[in-house]
């Protein structure tokens, strides 16, 4: 299959959305759209990456993201290899580079990397470049840094939902509320870059311990008006077009960041009552896995009128196909 | 290395060398005659010298006192794959350091007089002088005092755990107890509860990189508490590894009030700031973490004004395997003995930020004073414990070039300008 792209893809690695420019988001959305069409066919497979090897190096275990990447690679006819941290030899004294080099020796063209610590995809990409290999690195979530493919599938989900005629600034005039453990969320950081780049205004909401003041300065100056931080949930939800909630890890209590899950749900949980503060047609997204009854009430999550959660999962494969395709076929 | 120490009886004439003597605050281009390890003469031109004198063309080079490092880490005993005392000594001399403070966090830790005996067997005329710090608390664990009096008698340079002592009650008693022993006490300032899992200075950049942040107040709150305890016990203390602008202000204020305090920062905190960390290079994981630009600026000015007395290297070797992990999982610390002088010279002296004498004061005379030792000099009649430094020679930081067994530095593979070309070690 051939994909018409508006811009030639120049990024060899996808490590962070911080450095993404608007035309790159547009290319990505258009490419994902064409793969969504492929996935609706009877034969959901194209030979775009035939003969290439995609290695999923998941130093931090994950089933959902890894499965999504694996399926995306297979739909592109690539061969896939899976490495998971629990079966790793890291405990036996290997460095992170040894693992990457092992998969390089097996002929991996693209490495999809997840690690519980920030920066590991970057250091592996730097090492691959230093060795002058042609291996491409795709960040599948690194510590509290970024999760580009998740934010892009969120973006694609919104793009689909809005049926925009063009991806150009398709979120202009839209208000997105991003609620939850912003401080520890790699998804929130990536989403902030992508949503504002496409024109949305993002309202962050969390207690101060999970939303430090410095977040206000996270974006480049030209985007700063599109980011507003709140320590109460109500102003963030007011007239919002979309609500994104984030998973709250239970260990936040032992880090003295919150008094209890109960109080968190009372003050920041998305409930049906609170959702009424937003626009009538408001849609709710969550990157999963969900703590039902903590960040979002169960009935709201299961309500197809409100929730875009299952669309997010479906978008994941098309977006990951687009990412693999773009870096796998760029020169 | 062409070293003058190989034949100590040799008479040498250094011609038209740039002589620095931070004690007299003088700097001159002159000829220097060295005889029997002593500086016989310093004059604009020396033509009257013994017939067997070795004449060295030293134009453009710097002749200055040997550098003194307040505190660094030895791998030996316990972690000889990181560094041995022999490799540490070679690295120190290659970098111009003729005296090196060794922190007691070895395995076993240096907390009893008998541990000291072993170190003494390693010293030789070819090694720099090792200043051994003795533990303040048993095992450096911060729970109970070592036998401080015995250690002092055994020949340690001073007391330090090298890591923060959280128990202020114990700190107060220790500071009282050591007063008659007249040894310096060096304290690391850090509040663990505030620092928590932080690996980078907390701020906009830590949020952007996703690296766990450590607030500046993890250092300053501990510092404020220690300064208060030091003020009431009146025991001189040395504050190690100052890394924040606020700490510089707190120390300046304490000094103005007459609190007996000296302070040092590290060469890394002077050369780099948080903006370097967007590469996630584990060799930028140091503790305390690099400050932001304002902290770096305050430290640079602090060294110039003298609020920060000295620059320490805090050489901390780790093997490739230990450091080739995720940034946040890397053990903090970098090597530096061979790199500090060329980088500090290029960054601060060549640019005119500091004078050559100001740098030498912070790397040699002032560390000696912090240790209650007489500063080394380049003056007539003084024993020669000095180095010849060529500020123009370029070299590449590589495994082949480094004398250290470890190569954990962000400058690995990079080219540096400035090299020590000879070392004169006094007959000790």
């Amino acid at each position: 299959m051939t994909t018409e792209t508006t811009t030639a893809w120049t990024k060899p690695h996808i490590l962070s959305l911080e450095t993404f420019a608007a035309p790159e988001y547009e290319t990505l959305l258009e490419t994902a759209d064409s793969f969504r069409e492929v996935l609706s066919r009877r034969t959901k497979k194209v030979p775009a990456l035939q003969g290439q090897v995609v290695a999923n190096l998941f130093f931090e275990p994950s089933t959902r993201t890894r499965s999504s990447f694996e399926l995306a690679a297979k739909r592109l006819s690539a061969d896939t290899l899976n490495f998971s941290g629990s079966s790793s030899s890291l405990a036996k004294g290997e460095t992170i580079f040894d693992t990457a080099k092992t998969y390089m020796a097996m002929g991996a063209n693209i490495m999809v990397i997840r690690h519980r610590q920030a920066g590991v995809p970057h250091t592996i990409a730097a090492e691959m470049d230093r060795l002058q290999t042609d291996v491409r690195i795709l960040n599948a979530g690194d510590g509290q840094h970024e999760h580009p493919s998740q934010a892009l599938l969120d973006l694609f989900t919104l793009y689909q939902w809005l049926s925009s005629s063009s991806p150009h600034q398709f979120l202009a005039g839209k208000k997105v509320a991003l609620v939850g453990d912003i401080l520890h969320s790699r998804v929130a950081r990536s989403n902030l870059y992508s949503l504002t780049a496409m024109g949305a205004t993002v309202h962050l909401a969390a207690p101060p311990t999970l939303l430090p003041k410095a977040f206000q300065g996270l974006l480049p100056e030209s985007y700063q008006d599109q980011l507003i931080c709140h320590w109460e949930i109500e102003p963030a939800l007011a007239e919002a077009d979309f609500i994104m909630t984030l998973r709250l890890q239970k260990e936040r209590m032992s880090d003295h960041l919150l008094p209890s899950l109960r109080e968190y749900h009372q003050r920041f949980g998305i409930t049906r009552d609170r959702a009424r503060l937003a626009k009538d047609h408001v849609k709710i997204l969550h990157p999963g896995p969900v703590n039902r009854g903590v960040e979002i009430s169960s009935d709201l999550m299961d309500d197809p009128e409100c929730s875009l959660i299952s669309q997010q999962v479906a978008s994941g494969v098309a977006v990951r196909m687009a990412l693999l395709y773009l870096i796998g076929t760029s020169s | 290395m062409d070293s003058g120490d190989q034949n100590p009886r040799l008479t040498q004439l250094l011609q038209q060398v740039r002589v620095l003597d931070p004690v007299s605050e003088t700097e001159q281009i002159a000829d220097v005659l060295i005889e029997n390890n002593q500086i016989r003469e310093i004059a604009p031109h020396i033509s009257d010298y013994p017939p067997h004198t070795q004449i060295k063309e030293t134009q453009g080079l710097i002749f200055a006192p040997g550098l003194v490092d307040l505190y660094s880490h030895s791998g030996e005993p316990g972690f000889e794959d990181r560094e041995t005392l022999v490799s540490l000594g070679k690295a120190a001399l290659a970098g111009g350091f003729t005296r090196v403070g060794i922190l007691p966090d070895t395995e076993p830790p240096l907390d009893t007089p008998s541990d000291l005996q072993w170190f003494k067997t390693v010293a030789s005329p070819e090694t720099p002088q090792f200043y051994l710090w003795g533990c303040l608390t048993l095992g450096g664990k911060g729970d109970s005092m070592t036998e401080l009096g015995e250690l002092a008698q055994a020949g340690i340079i001073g007391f330090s755990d090298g890591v923060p002592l959280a128990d202020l009650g114990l700190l107060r008693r220790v500071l009282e107890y050591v007063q008659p022993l007249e040894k310096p006490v060096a304290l690391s300032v850090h509040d663990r509860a505030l620092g928590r899992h932080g690996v980078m200075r907390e701020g906009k950049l830590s949020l952007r990189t996703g690296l766990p942040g450590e607030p500046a107040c993890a250092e300053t709150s501990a510092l404020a508490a220690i300064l208060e305890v030091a003020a009431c016990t009146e025991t001189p203390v040395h504050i190690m590894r100052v890394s924040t602008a606020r700490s510089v202000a707190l120390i300046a204020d304490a000094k103005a009030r007459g609190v007996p305090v000296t302070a040092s920062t590290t060469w890394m905190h002077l050369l780099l700031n948080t903006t370097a960390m967007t590469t996630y290079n584990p060799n930028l994981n140091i503790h305390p973490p690099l400050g932001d630009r304002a902290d770096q600026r305050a430290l640079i000015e602090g060294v110039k004004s003298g609020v920060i007395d000295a620059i320490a290297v805090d050489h901390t070797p780790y093997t490739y395997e230990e450091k080739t992990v995720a940034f946040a999982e890397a053990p903090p610390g970098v090597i530096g003995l061979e790199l500090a002088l060329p980088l500090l010279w290029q960054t601060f002296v060549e640019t005119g930020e500091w004078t050559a004498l100001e740098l030498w004061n912070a790397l040699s005379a002032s560390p000696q004073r912090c240790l209650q030792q007489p500063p080394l000099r380049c003056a007539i009649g003084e024993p020669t414990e000095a180095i010849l430094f060529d500020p123009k020679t370029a070299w590449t930081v590589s495994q082949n070039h480094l004398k250290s067994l470890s190569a954990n530095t962000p400058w690995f593979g990079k080219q540096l300008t400035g090299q020590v070309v000879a070392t004169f070690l006094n007959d000790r």
Side-chain angles (χ1 to χ4, degrees), chain A residues 269-287:
Chain A
I270 308 293
T271 58
R272 206 167 278 279
D273 275 353
R274 284 211 170 105
R276 287 195 189 100
L277 294 167
K279 286 199 175 135
D280 290 341
H281 60 256
V282 69
K283 294 288 163 209
I284 298 171
L285 295 90
H286 191 297

Side-chain angles (χ1 to χ4, degrees), chain B residues 84-142:
Chain B
T84 64
L85 274 175
V86 171
S87 66
L88 183 80
K90 285 181 180 163
L93 291 179
F97 289 87
T98 60
R99 302 186 181 208
V100 182
I102 307 279
L103 288 168
D105 60 345
T106 47
E107 185 56 49
L110 210 172
D111 61 359
T112 64
S114 60
D115 298 320
L116 231 68
Q117 295 313 313
W118 178 85
F119 276 93
K120 286 180 179 167
T121 62
V122 182
S124 83
E126 283 79 44
T127 58
Q129 184 170 347
F130 291 127
Y131 283 149
L132 303 177
W133 290 94
C135 282
L136 271 173
T137 64
L138 283 172
K141 292 199 174 99

Side-chain angles (χ1 to χ4, degrees), chain A residues 18 95-97 115-120 122-123 144-145 183 189 193 214-215 217-218 254-256, chain B residues 196-197 203-204 206-212 278-282 320-321 324-329:
Chain A
E18 191 189 339
T95 70
I96 44 174
F97 292 160
H115 199 286
R116 66 193 163 116
Q117 298 291 357
V120 170
H122 296 67
T123 45
Q144 298 164 10
H145 175 232
L183 175 62
R189 284 169 177 78
Y193 297 124
F215 253 99
L218 202 68
S254 54
D255 284 344
H256 312 308
Chain B
R196 229 159 161 90
H197 317 296
K204 208 162 75 181
S206 71
L207 292 180
R208 226 161 81 191
T209 57
L211 290 170
T278 50
T279 60
Y280 297 98
N281 182 343
Y320 174 82
E321 294 74 27
T324 311
V325 293
F327 185 97
E329 288 169 2

